[in-house]
Amino acid sequence: MSRTLRTILFSASAVALVAPAAPALAQDRASGALVEELIVTAQKREEQAQDVPIALTAISGDQLEKQGVVGFQDLSTRIPSLRFGSGVTGGENVITLRGVGSQNTTSGGDSPVAYNLDGVYLARTTSVDPEFFDVDRIEVLRGPQGTLYGRNSVGGSVNVISRAPSAELGGHADALLGNYDARIFRGWLNAPLYTHDDGGFAAIRISAVKADHDGYQKNLFTGPGATHDADGQDFWMIRGQLFVKFSEQADFRLVVSASDNGDPVATKTRWNLAPARYVGAQPYLDDPREVRKNSPENFDQKNRYASGTFNYDLGPATLTSVTGYASGKWAQSSDPDASELTLANNPYWTLDQFQWSQEVRLASNPSDAPLSWIIGGFFFSEKVGQTFQFFDTGLNSASPFTDNFVFTNGGIYKTRSQAVFGQADFDLEKAGMGAPVTLTVGLRYTHDRKKGFDFLNYTLPLIGFSTEPTKNFNESWSEVTGKAGITWRVSDNALVYANYARGYLSGGGLVGNFPGIYQPEKVRAWEAGFKTTLADGRVVFNGAAYRQKLRDMQVFVQDITGSRIDNAGRAHVNGLELEAVATPAGGLRLNAAVALTKAEYDEYTTIDNRYAGAAPGCDATTRLCDFAGNRLVQTPKYTINVGAQYAFDTAFGQLTPRVDIFRSGDLYFLSANSPLERQGAYTLVDLSVNWRAPDARWSVDAFVRNVGNKDIISNDGLQSNTLGGGFGFDNYTYYPPRTWGVRVGYDF
């Protein structure tokens, strides 16, 4: 890795030294002749994205629309090292970044990739937006962000920033029709309330989405209780904003939103892989999108959100206060055996969550002083309640004692987290030392506490066995994280940097599984990269090489009577990421990104819970498994995405066809790295064409996504071993099949 880092740094420096300075060609940039410059807040202050010395990908709202990024799932095919998977039982989702992710989607767990909406950290991945709309930009910060973002950002942070109200009256409305009876209606309205000669104003902005389509999975069972909307969509969202600019020094922004999401995640259980002793076996449907499910599957999710951000310019520094509130709940049921046999049923899984947070920051304003700094404090409180039930009829169990096995658990988890943090940058050139070098150091102290109770009701009616343990818990952890870095501004349009950072994923609990408490996961990361703007602003070329060392990695494991979290010993991730955007000719825009990743366990010994006998790396007698050398889950060795669009100006308006191609290497979903847990290498192709009228008011978009109609596994989990006769067979979810549609929009 050290040789790779030296090569990257040398190459970047050489390119930067010969690159011409980019002139201020605002007109060319606005016309699309130059690559757009994005202002980001990745480091909690406004900066040009190309000036931020970390691995950062920022995509504007306009480019999200042009690249067909509808929601978070599409985003993972446009960002290096990012992967998104639907939960294998619905509800929460799995986000993986640079090999760091977690399958623990219960109320006691946390995602190791932070998700922030308008500056507010959202703990539950149910908050992930399936329909990005009226978004100003999305920023994805890769690698541990332990200083400015803190706990639960060991993989990185995804920041979604919605468009703020402005002083201009305007609006937009569009409607989409597509296959699977897709119907999506969207709109926003921006209206000033007052304006003042000194630049002050107040305005409101309202955005709304109503999106529906039929299920991608076909249930061939038509008897009583069957449902037929798996992987469908029944979603609505409304967001209201108030922005007040009191003066040049002070402003306030209030954001309030509500959304409802229905229709269950489609799961495909490979019960045909179980031993031949299946009682009442029936033909297995090889089509991954066809099932014969006889038990109801339902899903109802509600999210509510509010945030208030106040900024006050004190002169030397700006004071910022961000207050956030969010709540969410879901109720769902599923048919775990995915057949018309009554082998098992999940009649309910409910979750009810509430959180609020407060962050206060004081950040120095730009000046000629060599020292810039930011200090702050953060408080977070969350309460989550969960109930879950699973029962197995015993129809396919090898043991006569598991007839009508019933598993019920739940509990309430309360989390409180407090942190203080600071980061300082010292510019040697501004200090009169001549060298265009900036030194960075940051520290954060975090204290987490989780307390509450959970219960487990485990019943074997045939032999009269029942247990109802209840466990109270009160656990706390403290951690110091931070970073140190150096940035060399080679020229006005190029910089190289090197950083060392530490990250921390809070300990937690797996609800109703004893022992359920697990310890924090810690990451140390080294990164070196470059950022360049070349060819007079027509090319942006960035890259980063990194090494991450993980300790006590939180690994989700399916057990015979439920699940558990292992604190795996050690793991490492080495990677290289390259990104480029170019506008070589008027109307032509090209983009490309490559990620090369090696992610493996160094030390991980666990119990074989999948196979009745020995598995690779497992001892047949002790059933202990050594997974050292196995690949980390949800992490392909490489991904490549490329895109191209060309805008034709005609007498009838502007026509812009576009193509996006995403290629991924193979990957595993579980630590055993079994062939059954593998998604092979695959390629996805998306096509679109946009027409915009000469007056830029009317627009028409037509698209085809997943042109090849590929069946790509999104996630995989193991069902109860009683279903598989001790085998524990796979339960898959899939990305969408081929979809197409036409959207007509109007700006006013």
Side-chain angles (χ1 to χ4, degrees), residues 407-411 413 454-457 471 510-514 516 561:
F407 178 89
T408 306
N409 69 11
Y413 274 63
D454 56 1
F455 66 88
L456 169 64
N457 184 334
K471 180 186 65 177
L510 199 59
V511 176
N513 292 265
F514 303 141
T561 57

Side-chain angles (χ1 to χ4, degrees), residues 44 62 88 108 181 316 381 400 410 415 502 566 591 637 650 657 682:
K44 308 285 184 163
D62 290 340
V88 292
D181 202 19
S381 177
T415 300
R502 294 187 62 200
D566 284 345
N591 62 271
K637 290 184 177 181
T650 73
Y682 63 92

